[in-house]
Structures are given as C-alpha cells and as structure tokens.
Amino acid sequence: MVLETMPSKSLDRRLNAYRHDLADTRLAGQVEAERFVEGEAGTVAVPVADLRPRPDLGNGIDTQLLMGETLRIFERRDGWAWVQAETDGYVGYMAEADLVSPARVANFWISQPRTFIYPEPDMKRPRGPALSLGCRITVAGEAEARGTRYLLLADGGAVIAAHCAPVGKTGSEDCVSIAARLLETPYLWGGKSAFGIDCSGLVQLSMIMAGRSAPRDSDMQAAGLGQEIGFDELRRGDLVFWKGHVAIMEDAETIIHANGHTMSVAREGLKAAVERISYLYGAPTICRRP
C-alpha cells in the first residue's frame, strides 16, 4: 500500500488524520483530500497496541494504546486500521485485529503496575493476558473465592479486584507517586505501558492515572503543559525538559525519568543528570509546572 501525505506547515501529522486520498471530515477546508470521512468508533481490545506512522511492521512505533482506550477508525485495509486515539488525539496505524467496533464503555481501569486476567475467579488457574497500569476493562459483576475478591469481565474472565479502580478514580496519589511505582520498568521508545515506557509516556501515563491529561510527546508537553517556571523554582511534580527528553521532579533535587542511559525508569539526582545529559545533548531547555 503506497500512501502519500500532503505537505502542511500548520498541521501536525501526529494529531491530524489526513492523506492525499483520505482525511478526517473535521479537517475539511484545512487540507485537500480525495475523500473525507467521519470514521467509526472503536476500542482497543488487546492489553497494549502499537501505533505506527505507516502500515508497516518495519516501522518503529510512535506510541501505544492501552486496552479500553477509545478511538476513531478512518480506514481498514490489508489488516491495518488508520485511527486517531481519543485520549490524546494521536494518529497512526495499528493492527486491525487489535481493535473492536463499535466502541465499548469501560468502567474500571488497572490501578497497579501490572495484573493478570484469569479464566475464572481463581488465582491458581493458568493466567491469561497480562494487563498494564491504565488498561481499561468492562466489569459486569463480582465474585469472591478463598477470601479474594474478583471483578468479572463482560467478555469473560476475572481480575483481582484490589488491582482495579473505577475509571477516573485516583485515590490520594499524585503523578510523582505513580511514576515512582514504575521504577525499573524497561525503557521502550514509543512505549506507554508498565511493560515498557519512554520519557514522555511516563509523564502522560502518570498524569492520566492521577486524574489529569497530558499530550503524548515531549515536544508537545514542553510547548504547552502547564506554566513555564524558572530552573531555581523546581519542586515536586514539576517537569524538566531537554531537547527530546523530559523528567519528573520527585523533590527539589531528584528526578524520575525513563531514559536510554539506564534503559529503564530510574531515579537520579537532578544535578548529576544535567551534567551527564548536557555533555551530549545540551542544557535543559525549559521547566514547566503542570
């Protein structure tokens, strides 16, 4: 499948669905395309779905979508779906088999870094798929077995109730506490789950689980997430940006970030990180308070 993207200086292809042959109807009048479509509503049906810039497994991933995230499907062809995520507006190609349509309504999400789906309410049974923090599920009932409470999924199977919370419920944790729970998670370019995550994915997932929204990529976050502050004003929860990288302040002297140096989510002293990163990529470019 050969695709061409119409050049545009004003529209970010990551956040706008347009090609020379097909475009989102909401972009009519802004771009030229042979056909405009509204698309259909769908939902991610697998624990983690890769989103790519082109329908080609040889392309690296731009980001990932988690189970239960809703999206708009503009095209299905040759086993691929061209979609836009409703969570952050990201556009890309995913395996058509990884989604379902029409959209489903999730009422719980996974609140622990990782958990499992069991075929029935019994932790001793062979486990099914593993779910990440942030995965959304549709719960149809509850059950208790041997003193453990389970939530029963509408599609079948059961999850540990203590590993879940109603969608949107955040408890008392802030985004820093959530990021800290992901320490030692492997670094993955484009990753957005507790199985593998990148720097901006860590920021976004931590903020979403704390009840706040955030753009997906570090340049988007640096451009408009919260308010700009001075380097000497940094405190817990603030963000420090370098070109192509972002870290979360755990306190005034310590950061948490997913990074290629340790290839993991790690805790590091801010001063040491600035010295190490600046040697290769320059000094921090901006600090923001979400």
Side-chain angles (χ1 to χ4, degrees):
M1 176 168 33
V2 177
L3 305 174
E4 298 178 8
T5 301
M6 190 188 76
S8 174
K9 294 182 179 180
S10 58
L11 294 181
D12 189 332
R13 68 98 181 153
R14 297 170 296 177
L15 300 175
N16 297 276
Y18 66 96
R19 305 188 319 231
H20 79 287
D21 62 326
L22 184 65
D24 181 352
T25 190
R26 292 170 294 185
L27 299 179
Q30 301 180 62
V31 301
E32 294 181 3
E34 296 173 4
R35 185 164 58 98
F36 289 86
V37 297
E38 290 187 3
E40 59 178 311
T43 305
V44 179
V46 296
V48 182
D50 293 336
L51 199 68
R52 304 174 192 273
R54 295 179 62 83
D56 181 353
L57 290 175
N59 275 249
I61 65 173
D62 275 342
T63 185
Q64 294 177 317
L65 306 180
L66 301 181
M67 176 180 281
E69 284 195 63
T70 53
L71 42 81
R72 181 65 51 179
I73 308 163
F74 299 108
E75 180 185 61
R76 301 170 185 255
R77 190 195 302 182
D78 300 331
W80 291 92
W82 189 38
V83 306
Q84 183 169 30
E86 293 192 351
T87 301
D88 55 22
Y90 221 104
V91 174
Y93 295 86
M94 63 183 290
E96 184 180 2
D98 290 349
L99 58 80
V100 293
S101 182
R104 299 176 180 177
V105 177
N107 51 5
F108 280 77
W109 60 8
I110 305 305
S111 56
Q112 296 297 312
R114 289 161 292 275
T115 195
F116 301 106
I117 297 178
Y118 296 93
E120 59 185 87
D122 186 348
M123 70 178 73
K124 295 185 178 180
R125 290 294 307 277
R127 62 98 174 165
L131 301 180
S132 164
L133 175 75
C135 282
R136 303 181 182 215
I137 54 178
T138 302
V139 172
E142 298 183 16
E144 185 171 327
R146 299 188 182 92
T148 299
R149 192 166 67 91
Y150 297 84
L151 299 181
L152 305 180
L153 305 184
D155 290 337
V159 294
I160 303 296
H163 293 177
C164 307
V167 169
K169 184 176 180 180
T170 62
S172 59
E173 288 186 293
D174 63 1
C175 65
V176 183
S177 298
I178 294 168
R181 293 170 63 195
L182 294 173
L183 285 167
E184 300 187 14
T185 298
Y187 179 85
L188 176 66
W189 179 272
K192 199 185 77 172
S193 82
F195 305 120
I197 201 163
D198 66 15
C199 63
S200 54
L202 178 66
V203 170
Q204 186 190 54
L205 181 58
S206 298
M207 290 191 65
I208 287 174
M209 296 306 299
R212 307 179 66 182
S213 62
R216 174 59 181 91
D217 292 342
S218 61
D219 65 323
M220 301 174 186
Q221 296 169 357
L225 183 54
Q227 63 182 25
E228 182 177 355
I229 59 172
F231 190 80
D232 59 349
E233 300 178 78
L234 288 168
R235 68 186 189 198
R236 181 181 175 87
D238 291 340
L239 303 176
V240 182
F241 293 89
W242 290 260
K243 184 178 180 180
H245 187 59
V246 59
I248 304 170
M249 297 299 301
E250 185 173 33
D251 55 42
E253 298 179 348
T254 311
I255 61 173
I256 296 174
H257 60 153
N259 67 92
H261 179 65
T262 63
M263 288 303 295
S264 66
V265 177
R267 180 182 282 117
E268 187 174 4
L270 175 61
K271 181 178 179 181
V274 169
E275 292 177 355
R276 177 178 58 77
I277 297 172
S278 296
Y279 177 73
L280 296 173
Y281 302 109
T285 55
I286 193 171
C287 301
R288 304 195 73 91
R289 180 163 295 155

